[in-house]
Amino acid sequence: MAATEQKSGGIVETIKTVVYALVIAGVFRSLFFQPFWIPSGSMKDTLLIGDFLFVNKMAYGYSYASCPSVIMPRFGINIDAANICGWADGDNTRLFGSEPERGDVVVFRHPGTGTDFIKRVIGLPGDKVQVRDGVVIINGTPVSVEPDGQFVETYDAQGPQRLTPRCENAAVGRGGDCLKSKYIETLPNGVSHSILNIGNQSSDNTDVYTVPLGHFFFMGDNRDNSSDSRVRSIVGGVGFVPFENLIGRADRIMFSSAGTSMLYFWTWRSDRFFKAVQ
């Protein structure tokens, strides 16, 4: 009898330990840092497919979007952040809120789908933003853009989704060099970062967008391969992003895998360990 009770008590203690660990992990993820795995190439070459980073949630304060979503299709689990913290949704405000700076790389919830996106802040509330011939114009003044050589990557399937990159040098066979023109863009506040160009397309010439108060305008650094604020959410883009949808700032890449899984250590990119996001 004593042995049975001892065994039963051991199981209960194990369950308690697991539950406590999950609660602590959930609180930590909700309040401080959230892991994020880069799934697409919209932020190349700042962020590559397979980069793994932690998002600083303290940077902009907290809203309903600070709660984690738990999506595991294989197990039929689909718990959205709004299901947990929906009570805090709807007023476009944040607790301990601090607005992002132009040029910050931010993870946010897509205003239409709720999916986590990562892009760069280009337009602040009240700004007028336009793209003309591929150059961003903010409040009537074009940003500085300087040529910076070429970005070269291998034309092959990338990441778990097995995506193939778009190339400026047209059709490239598997294993060939896929090229994109590279530039250094400097925003009005002096923040400089790399952007890529593939060719001329409709998103290189836009109307003038006036960013509403309490909203932000985002663009990907891989300018011709990014679904962002240049396209309204109702037609597949992002549109203006409400302040409350911001999750946090991406500050540093922890490590990076060029393979289909972070567990394939032989595909890790050693030159990206602990690299600052600029």
Side-chain angles (χ1 to χ4, degrees):
M1 184 70 174
T4 302
E5 290 179 354
Q6 186 175 11
K7 182 178 180 180
S8 176
I11 293 174
V12 170
E13 289 304 314
T14 299
I15 293 174
K16 284 183 179 180
T17 300
V18 171
V19 170
Y20 291 155
L22 290 174
V23 170
I24 292 171
V27 171
F28 184 85
R29 179 175 173 177
S30 297
L31 296 181
F32 303 111
F33 297 97
Q34 176 175 319
F36 192 82
W37 182 270
I38 303 300
S40 73
S42 68
M43 282 295 292
K44 291 178 181 176
D45 64 333
T46 303
L47 298 171
L48 304 180
I49 294 175
D51 282 350
F52 180 83
L53 48 85
F54 281 99
V55 178
N56 181 358
K57 289 191 169 185
M58 297 176 285
Y60 310 129
Y62 304 95
S63 71
Y64 86 98
S66 302
C67 284
S69 296
V70 183
I71 302 174
M72 304 172 67
R74 181 180 300 180
F75 301 101
I77 299 175
N78 186 3
I79 303 174
D80 189 82
N83 299 135
I84 304 172
C85 296
W87 54 269
D89 186 14
D91 56 4
N92 201 26
T93 61
R94 306 181 71 88
L95 184 63
F96 309 120
S98 177
E99 290 193 355
E101 296 182 7
R102 200 190 311 275
D104 283 0
V105 176
V106 177
V107 173
F108 59 88
R109 287 176 56 85
H110 188 289
T113 66
T115 306
D116 290 353
F117 269 41
I118 185 166
K119 307 287 180 184
R120 189 180 298 276
V121 177
I122 298 296
L124 303 177
D127 280 347
K128 294 185 182 298
V129 181
Q130 184 180 23
V131 181
R132 188 184 303 153
D133 296 327
V135 177
V136 176
I137 301 169
I138 301 176
N139 298 323
T141 303
V143 302
S144 171
V145 180
E146 298 291 337
D148 190 39
Q150 290 183 317
F151 173 70
V152 184
E153 61 184 334
T154 302
Y155 183 79
D156 205 347
Q158 300 178 353
Q161 299 180 32
R162 312 309 292 153
L163 302 174
T164 51
R166 291 180 59 202
C167 312
E168 187 177 11
N169 53 330
V172 178
R174 294 274 178 170
D177 285 345
C178 177
L179 308 179
K180 298 177 181 64
S181 294
K182 184 178 176 182
Y183 300 87
I184 298 299
E185 178 179 84
T186 302
L187 299 174
N189 61 342
V191 173
S192 295
H193 57 275
S194 173
I195 62 172
L196 303 181
N197 179 72
I198 299 170
N200 296 321
Q201 58 187 50
S202 59
S203 59
D204 289 330
N205 291 279
T206 72
D207 296 331
V208 176
Y209 299 101
T210 301
V211 185
L213 295 179
H215 292 71
F216 298 87
F217 190 96
F218 287 89
M219 294 178 68
D221 290 348
N222 191 0
R223 290 290 162 80
D224 294 335
N225 194 34
S226 174
S227 176
D228 51 40
S229 292
R230 290 171 288 179
V231 182
R232 300 300 176 88
S233 59
I234 57 175
V235 290
V238 172
F240 303 122
V241 178
F243 187 33
E244 67 179 352
N245 282 43
L246 308 189
I247 294 174
R249 186 180 63 218
D251 291 331
R252 191 171 297 275
I253 300 164
M254 302 308 294
F255 73 92
S256 181
S257 171
T260 59
S261 171
M262 61 185 291
L263 300 178
Y264 298 165
F265 63 88
W266 57 91
T267 67
W268 289 2
R269 305 178 179 107
S270 59
D271 61 328
R272 299 185 69 78
F273 281 29
F274 308 112
K275 182 178 180 179
V277 176
Q278 296 179 330

